[in-house]
Amino acid sequence: MIRKFLTSFVLLMLMVLTGMAQKTISIATKSNVLILETDKDNSVISTYIGRKLDNDDEYSAIQQLDKYVPGSDDLFNKREAYIASGSLNLLEPALSVTHADGNKSTVLEFLSVDEKQIDPNRKLTVVHLKDPKYNFEVALNYLAYFKEDVIEQWAEIKHQEKGAIVLNKYASANLTLSGKKFFLKNHYSGWGREMRSEEQQLLHGIKTIDSKLGTRENLLNSSSFMVSVDRPATEDQGDVIAGSLEWTGNFKLDFETFDEYYLRITAGINNFPSDYTLKPGENFVTPRLVYTYSSNGRGQASRNLQNWARSYQLREGSGERLSILNNWETTYFDFNDEKLSSLILDTKKLGVDVFLLDDGWFGNKYPRNNATGGLGDWQYNRQKLKNGISTLGKEATAAGVKFGIWLEPEMVNPKSELYENHPDWIIRQPERREYYMRNQLVLDLTNPKVQDFVYQTVDDIFKEVPELGFIKWDCNSLIYNANSPTLKNQGSFYVDYVRGLNKVLERIRKKYPKTPMMLCAGGGSRVDYAALQYFTEFWPSDNTNPFDRIFIQWEYSYYFPSIAMDNHITAMGSQPLKFKTDVAMMGKLGYDVKVNELSPKDLSFSQNAVAVYNSIKDIIWHGQQYRLQDPYENSVASVAYVNEQQTTAIVFNYYVSTLISPAITIPIKLKGLDASKKYKIEEINQYPGSRSYIDKDKVYSGDFLMKIGFNPQVDARRTSVVLKVTAI
């Protein structure tokens, strides 16, 4: 107690002697803390983010440790918590404003701070800033999730100037990290090759990752990232920040090193070309940036985000999911009542929960027999479905399964009645040639009439099929020739489009809160936590080759929990059915196969696999995930899921070598077990007639399995092994 008093006294005297009267704001979670402080200019400075100190009084000393350069005005060393442009700070801003009088400079000074304990696990801290010249304010919001070690950050901008102002840039957050070196792990994509990973040291200048696509915002780059401090983090070692922007539209992430010791991360809506006009009295609320800090490598950062997502963000994140049989690869556009009735019976035979009717069920004047027409005309095709979709719903219910349906309600084909009747509902430049992606255009969701149409489309399907059990919501086109026929200020177009989409989804969820919905966008091109508050799951990629999917699912797992990932077994890839099934089990299981053409052994295996999956899915969905062995660096990839009680683990192991020579099998160290417990290991989900090399009666300590490991005996002939580790 005496030592703590003396430390506090010394710190207080130091502040008095240096004239640095500080206001310290602490945003704390279980293990970590973000410290903000005021400086001599009454600016709010981001002082520290990292592990919590034992003595809270010592945070105020951090600002005193910054290096001092004689003769410097300290401009480049000033780490404001939310940087405004046009005044003293010359680094990349979070905020750029044209005020009502035309002035482009903004200064933000500390006004006040509010704290609200929402519940035992969540605390909201709001830091109020104001420009001393203008009646212009910014509120920085920090929502801390204590148990999960996660923070959500966003800004609220408002003013009472004499006229409208223009927001030229309006980021959600600035984060300032200190360290000797910084390494960025980001992800680039294309159709069928989503979430390719690269890591690079951030040197001088700015690294920008952005999207200007309007829809399918993650088609080229992901809005999720990881930054390691001092050295590249591994799975279990290193200091790392993992973040993801919650926005279903154009985004911008800036990573700027400065002063040889700092990295500033600026994240938010892409302001190009989106100058947003804000009238007096209006509020602009930015999307949220969710992030976590880990001093124990990427694995802990991933688990922090996954735990947060399941508990707070993902729709029904702590609930159940439905397994699926999809008709797409069985029939494509060529089906009728008889074929679909047969597939409903196959759904029951296979043992999965939902029969999903994919694209091609709608359109009459322009029947949806291929991708060139009918999109937007959401009436069932009377030639294919003489009895309507309502009859299919009743047949599914009678068979003991649920009925699901595919929609792409944001889009329209030029060959459609909707296009003919409502040209003013379509995004396009009136003086430009129309450009089609997949023979379609995007509907103008900034228009309330279009919002009503999309909502009504979904509502009408529920009226026809009251027992509707699943919706697959697709989005395949980008926005070209961006222009709304009805929007007065085109500068707000890209923002208002996303807001319009969210309004529709909010209405749907208010009326149909429990119906599972898959977020699909030509593969995993629209995956963000803003959208996932409305959707129970997402489609990671149209590439269902299981070899490629191991890598795709591996990368998504850095930010998203397995319960959110839809993984289907298809004809894609030459791997054995067991390998395909085991890969698909690492998430939400689905099938896109011709059940009637499966061999007796394949059918028997698949039926048993569904039963096995049902017995372990709760651990896969809600357990803690540990990436055990990296597919990029090893011939065998391994991932484990461990339940909360540490009594059961499911371990997936895959042979991923492309070399002809056999793999050298070595023990794989498990993680997340209880060192003091005893465990048995058995192989599950075996193909009929195959032999297991695992001694299911042998007993191991958790300590042994985590320090020495276990050999799943995976090789070029035995390519996929699923283990169940059970405490005795």
Side-chain angles (χ1 to χ4, degrees):
M1 182 65 72
I2 294 174
R3 181 180 298 172
K4 185 173 182 180
F5 172 79
L6 289 173
T7 301
S8 301
F9 178 76
V10 170
L11 291 172
L12 178 62
M13 291 303 296
L14 179 63
M15 287 189 291
V16 171
L17 290 172
T18 57
M20 296 288 288
Q22 294 171 294
K23 170 72 176 178
T24 300
I25 303 165
S26 174
I27 297 132
T29 61
K30 178 179 63 177
S31 305
N32 306 320
V33 68
L34 170 65
I35 298 296
L36 307 176
E37 293 180 304
T38 57
D39 68 1
K40 58 183 174 56
D41 300 318
N42 206 29
S43 301
V44 177
I45 305 300
S46 178
T47 301
Y48 175 76
I49 181 169
R51 297 179 65 185
K52 289 164 77 170
L53 300 179
D54 293 334
N55 181 3
D56 289 349
D57 294 332
E58 291 189 289
Y59 290 125
S60 58
I62 296 175
Q63 197 174 145
Q64 310 302 321
L65 299 177
D66 291 339
K67 65 181 182 179
Y68 172 69
V69 181
S72 170
D73 289 328
D74 204 29
L75 298 183
F76 291 100
N77 193 22
K78 193 162 184 173
R79 307 182 309 282
E80 289 183 72
Y82 195 73
I83 299 167
S85 69
S87 184
L88 298 181
N89 199 305
L90 303 179
L91 298 176
E92 183 66 24
L95 178 71
S96 183
V97 180
T98 303
H99 293 280
D101 62 1
N103 194 320
K104 285 184 171 290
S105 70
T106 301
V107 174
L108 296 176
E109 293 183 355
F110 175 74
L111 190 63
S112 64
V113 60
D114 298 323
E115 295 180 333
K116 179 182 179 182
Q117 193 72 45
I118 297 173
D119 56 39
N121 193 52
R122 293 182 295 167
K123 183 178 180 180
L124 176 64
T125 301
V126 184
V127 180
H128 298 277
L129 309 174
K130 187 180 185 305
D131 191 307
K133 174 178 172 59
Y134 293 99
N135 197 350
F136 175 90
E137 296 182 23
V138 175
L140 304 181
N141 293 260
Y142 302 86
L143 181 56
Y145 298 81
F146 185 82
K147 200 168 51 174
E148 293 77 15
D149 277 327
V150 162
I151 295 173
E152 279 186 300
Q153 183 175 339
W154 69 98
E156 297 181 26
I157 304 166
K158 64 180 180 180
H159 77 100
Q160 289 290 352
E161 298 188 24
K162 293 182 179 180
I165 67 172
V166 178
L167 302 180
N168 306 115
K169 188 175 183 182
Y170 33 93
S172 300
N174 276 144
L175 291 178
T176 301
L177 309 182
S178 59
K180 298 175 182 177
K181 296 179 181 179
F182 305 96
F183 298 85
L184 172 66
K185 177 181 173 67
N186 62 287
H187 309 269
Y188 64 98
S189 299
W191 179 83
R193 50 187 180 88
E194 287 79 5
M195 291 298 281
R196 300 262 179 125
S197 177
E198 60 185 5
E199 187 166 21
Q200 59 197 287
Q201 184 178 350
L202 294 168
L203 299 174
H204 295 90
I206 301 179
K207 167 73 175 180
T208 297
I209 298 170
D210 72 352
S211 174
K212 304 180 183 74
L213 308 178
T215 58
R216 298 181 63 178
E217 77 277 10
N218 296 128
L219 176 62
L220 301 179
N221 297 293
S222 172
S223 52
S224 301
F225 62 91
M226 286 188 168
V227 172
S228 302
V229 181
D230 292 336
R231 61 190 61 83
T234 66
E235 197 65 25
D236 302 304
Q237 294 181 327
D239 296 320
V240 61
I241 290 272
S244 188
L245 186 68
E246 301 174 33
W247 180 245
T248 317
N250 294 344
F251 65 86
K252 187 178 184 185
L253 309 173
D254 290 321
F255 303 86
E256 181 178 20
T257 59
F258 67 102
D259 208 23
E260 299 182 7
Y261 191 66
Y262 299 108
L263 171 70
R264 178 170 287 125
I265 302 171
T266 307
I269 296 172
N270 196 335
N271 55 304
F272 178 84
S274 296
D275 287 338
Y276 195 94
T277 300
L278 194 66
K279 297 176 182 177
E282 289 184 341
N283 278 24
F284 187 94
V285 181
T286 73
R288 301 183 182 195
L289 175 70
V290 60
Y291 56 91
T292 183
Y293 171 86
S294 165
S295 59
N296 297 309
R298 294 171 178 165
Q300 187 60 59
S302 293
R303 290 186 289 278
N304 290 349
L305 287 178
Q306 291 173 6
N307 290 336
W308 165 81
R310 284 192 296 262
S311 297
Y312 292 101
Q313 193 71 10
L314 177 64
R315 193 80 183 183
E316 299 291 321
S318 299
E320 296 293 313
R321 293 294 183 271
L322 300 174
S323 51
I324 286 174
L325 175 64
N326 193 359
N327 75 301
W328 180 243
E329 291 197 16
T330 299
T331 66
Y332 295 99
F333 292 102
D334 182 19
F335 54 80
N336 54 31
D337 288 311
E338 291 73 24
K339 285 184 180 181
L340 297 183
S341 295
S342 177
L343 289 173
I344 288 172
L345 297 178
D346 285 343
T347 305
K348 182 65 175 178
K349 181 193 294 184
L350 193 59
V352 296
D353 302 313
V354 176
F355 168 67
L356 174 62
L357 175 58
D358 213 293
D359 195 359
W361 59 269
F362 51 89
N364 287 289
K365 181 179 180 180
Y366 300 100
R368 184 71 168 177
N369 294 325
N370 52 51
T372 63
L375 200 60
D377 300 343
W378 299 106
Q379 303 82 32
Y380 72 86
N381 182 280
R382 292 187 292 273
Q383 293 298 313
K384 295 180 182 180
L385 306 177
K386 294 181 173 59
N387 299 318
I389 57 174
S390 59
T391 300
L392 291 173
K394 292 173 183 175
E395 286 183 23
T397 301
V401 297
K402 296 181 182 296
F403 177 71
I405 203 161
W406 177 95
L407 291 169
E408 194 176 3
E410 297 166 70
M411 306 296 164
V412 60
N413 285 132
K415 289 178 63 176
S416 69
E417 293 182 80
L418 180 63
Y419 181 93
E420 293 174 346
N421 296 333
H422 295 285
D424 56 323
W425 285 9
I426 297 166
I427 295 170
R428 56 184 173 182
Q429 292 281 355
E431 304 297 327
R432 308 289 184 187
R433 178 177 66 89
E434 288 183 354
Y435 183 83
Y436 307 133
M437 184 175 186
R438 287 177 53 120
N439 304 298
Q440 60 194 57
L441 295 165
V442 183
L443 293 177
D444 180 15
L445 280 174
T446 72
N447 185 341
K449 292 181 180 179
V450 177
Q451 296 170 23
D452 291 341
F453 168 78
V454 174
Y455 169 79
Q456 199 61 51
T457 294
V458 177
D459 194 43
D460 286 346
I461 292 173
F462 273 102
K463 289 174 182 175
E464 285 200 65
V465 190
E467 62 273 32
L468 186 68
F470 193 89
I471 293 174
K472 179 181 177 182
W473 185 297
D474 215 338
C475 172
N476 286 303
S477 290
L478 307 177
I479 295 179
Y480 296 94
N481 291 328
N483 177 73
S484 165
T486 58
L487 199 62
K488 292 182 179 179
N489 187 347
Q490 297 297 323
S492 67
F493 168 77
Y494 283 111
V495 174
D496 287 349
Y497 179 89
V498 177
R499 288 176 172 174
L501 172 63
N502 290 342
K503 286 179 182 178
V504 173
L505 292 169
E506 285 166 8
R507 290 174 66 186
I508 291 170
R509 278 314 188 187
K510 185 175 181 179
K511 189 168 184 179
Y512 306 103
K514 296 293 185 180
T515 304
M517 289 173 54
M518 179 201 297
L519 181 61
C520 185
S525 300
R526 188 190 252 184
V527 183
D528 67 88
Y529 275 121
L532 287 174
Q533 65 186 312
Y534 306 112
F535 291 85
T536 51
E537 55 220 70
F538 69 90
W539 182 241
S541 177
D542 283 345
N543 182 354
T544 54
N545 183 311
F547 182 88
D548 295 335
R549 268 300 188 109
I550 289 171
F551 294 85
I552 292 171
Q553 293 167 200
W554 181 278
E555 295 299 333
Y556 273 119
S557 75
Y558 282 110
Y559 313 99
F560 302 98
S562 57
I563 191 173
M565 295 188 211
D566 275 309
N567 306 326
H568 285 195
I569 298 137
T570 73
M572 192 177 291
S574 58
Q575 298 84 359
L577 179 61
K578 172 176 164 51
F579 188 95
K580 295 180 177 183
T581 304
D582 290 348
V583 172
M585 280 185 170
M586 289 197 305
K588 206 210 75 171
L589 182 67
Y591 287 83
D592 211 323
V593 300
K594 297 178 180 179
V595 177
N596 64 323
E597 294 183 8
L598 292 175
S599 69
K601 271 193 173 183
D602 281 354
L603 177 60
S604 175
F605 167 76
S606 298
Q607 291 169 327
N608 183 67
V610 172
V612 169
Y613 178 75
N614 286 338
S615 71
I616 63 174
K617 63 187 181 183
D618 185 68
I619 299 172
I620 297 169
W621 294 346
H622 303 117
Q624 298 298 297
Q625 183 194 55
Y626 296 88
R627 292 177 291 268
L628 305 179
Q629 195 156 280
D630 194 324
Y632 298 95
E633 300 176 359
N634 301 276
S635 58
V636 175
S638 186
V639 178
Y641 302 88
V642 184
N643 70 349
E644 184 179 356
Q645 299 78 19
Q646 298 174 292
T647 56
T648 309
I650 307 300
V651 187
F652 294 93
N653 307 277
Y654 310 104
Y655 182 72
V656 293
S657 176
T658 56
L659 301 176
I660 297 176
S661 58
I664 300 173
T665 55
I666 57 175
I668 296 173
K669 294 178 183 178
L670 275 62
K671 301 174 186 177
L673 302 179
D674 185 332
S676 64
K677 283 186 168 67
K678 301 293 185 182
Y679 295 91
K680 285 186 176 182
I681 300 176
E682 64 174 319
E683 183 175 353
I684 60 174
N685 207 42
Q686 292 177 252
Y687 193 81
S690 64
R691 174 192 168 194
S692 176
Y693 294 88
I694 307 302
D695 184 353
K696 65 180 181 179
D697 296 319
K698 190 169 178 59
V699 177
Y700 306 86
S701 69
D703 183 57
F704 179 92
L705 292 173
M706 290 190 290
K707 291 178 179 176
I708 305 299
F710 183 83
N711 191 341
Q713 301 186 41
V714 177
D715 56 36
R717 293 174 297 276
R718 186 174 146 84
T719 57
S720 175
V721 173
V722 184
L723 302 175
K724 185 176 183 180
V725 183
T726 308
I728 58 174

